[in-house]
Amino acid sequence: MEKKMDPVCGLDVALHYIGGKWKPILLFHLQHQPRRFGELKRLAAGISEKVLIQQLRDLTDAGILTRHDFREVPPRVEYTITGFGRTLALALQPLCEWGNANRQTLPAAEASADA
Amino acid sequence: MEKKMDPVCGLDVALHYIGGKWKPILLFHLQHQPRRFGELKRLAAGISEKVLIQQLRDLTDAGILTRHDFREVPPRVEYTITGFGRTLALALQPLCEWGNANRQTLPAAEASADA
């Protein structure tokens, strides 16, 4: 019998890092290469600049990404996945794929919602 | 460039099915064998009967589990994972394991909270 402190599935821990709409998407785009802020804004279509800044700060504070400011003009800031972040991206991959493969099973209202 | 309707990570779809505290835990316990209601109540330590009933109903309605009432006295009701549910449990496994392996990285307050 499991105790409360020893859960059988650590999904809650994973969601502490990548819960919400945007973080899995950002992680996906960063898993293989560093990206500039503007690039991420374009790739995560629909995200506001304010929300993107906050999400990237959360991921950086959590040790999932590192941020490098090249101190250039025009500004050039790059985000790179860490080794720790890469382990998370790898573990997340099968569930991402499952979700994409089964999106059509969602009730129509949710599938089309901007959830 | 991705469109809003074609997300790169289907985590949102997966969480439609197994979001929240208890569903991943129930899925874990059901992935290899059918379980009776009372058994699940014991395995998901700390769950209330009311919440367990609702979670099992959600999972059954979503096609993740089937429910079989043997119509015996005393009552015997068994839950079994479906083929669809099994694909989800498999895809979830790496993220469960990642979370368990990294639980100690959570801020202390969250790690000990009954989240």
Side-chain angles (χ1 to χ4, degrees):
Chain A
M1 188 166 94
E2 284 69 25
K3 296 189 206 82
K4 268 195 210 178
M5 297 299 290
D6 182 20
V8 289
C9 177
L11 182 64
D12 61 314
V13 180
L15 290 179
H16 165 81
Y17 290 103
I18 40 99
K21 173 177 181 174
W22 294 109
K23 284 178 185 137
I25 296 176
L26 295 173
L27 205 60
F28 174 90
H29 288 299
L30 283 155
Q31 66 185 328
H32 298 304
Q33 64 206 289
R35 300 273 194 187
R36 293 177 63 168
F37 182 85
E39 222 179 337
L40 290 168
K41 186 159 174 354
R42 188 173 49 76
L43 289 166
I47 199 169
S48 73
E49 199 149 312
K50 185 181 161 188
V51 169
L52 178 56
I53 288 168
Q54 187 57 54
Q55 303 296 294
L56 289 171
R57 188 174 294 154
D58 289 351
L59 289 168
T60 303
D61 289 351
I64 303 288
L65 304 181
T66 55
R67 177 183 188 278
H68 184 63
D69 186 340
F70 287 85
R71 301 191 176 283
E72 290 177 5
V73 180
R76 181 174 155 216
V77 177
E78 228 176 53
Y79 293 86
T80 307
I81 197 166
T82 62
F84 178 61
R86 207 179 309 274
T87 64
L88 175 52
L90 274 173
L92 179 62
Q93 197 58 30
L95 205 56
C96 284
E97 287 168 10
W98 186 92
N100 284 338
N102 290 285
R103 186 167 298 275
Q104 80 290 351
T105 64
L106 286 188
E110 288 198 43
S112 63
D114 211 7
Chain B
M1 189 165 93
E2 284 71 24
K3 297 189 204 81
K4 268 194 210 178
M5 297 299 290
D6 183 20
V8 290
C9 176
L11 182 63
D12 61 314
V13 180
L15 291 179
H16 166 82
Y17 289 103
I18 40 99
K21 174 176 179 174
W22 294 109
K23 283 178 186 137
I25 296 175
L26 294 172
L27 205 60
F28 175 90
H29 288 298
L30 283 155
Q31 65 184 330
H32 298 304
Q33 64 206 290
R35 300 273 195 187
R36 293 177 62 168
F37 182 85
E39 222 179 336
L40 290 169
K41 187 160 174 350
R42 188 173 50 75
L43 289 166
I47 199 170
S48 74
E49 199 147 313
K50 185 180 161 190
V51 170
L52 178 57
I53 288 169
Q54 186 57 55
Q55 303 296 296
L56 289 170
R57 187 175 295 155
D58 290 350
L59 289 168
T60 304
D61 289 350
I64 304 287
L65 303 180
T66 55
R67 176 184 190 277
H68 184 62
D69 185 341
F70 288 84
R71 301 192 175 281
E72 291 177 4
V73 179
R76 180 175 157 214
V77 177
E78 228 176 51
Y79 293 86
T80 307
I81 197 166
T82 63
F84 178 60
R86 207 179 307 274
T87 64
L88 175 53
L90 274 172
L92 180 62
Q93 197 58 30
L95 205 56
C96 283
E97 287 168 10
W98 185 92
N100 284 337
N102 290 285
R103 186 167 298 276
Q104 81 289 351
T105 64
L106 285 189
E110 288 197 43
S112 63
D114 212 9

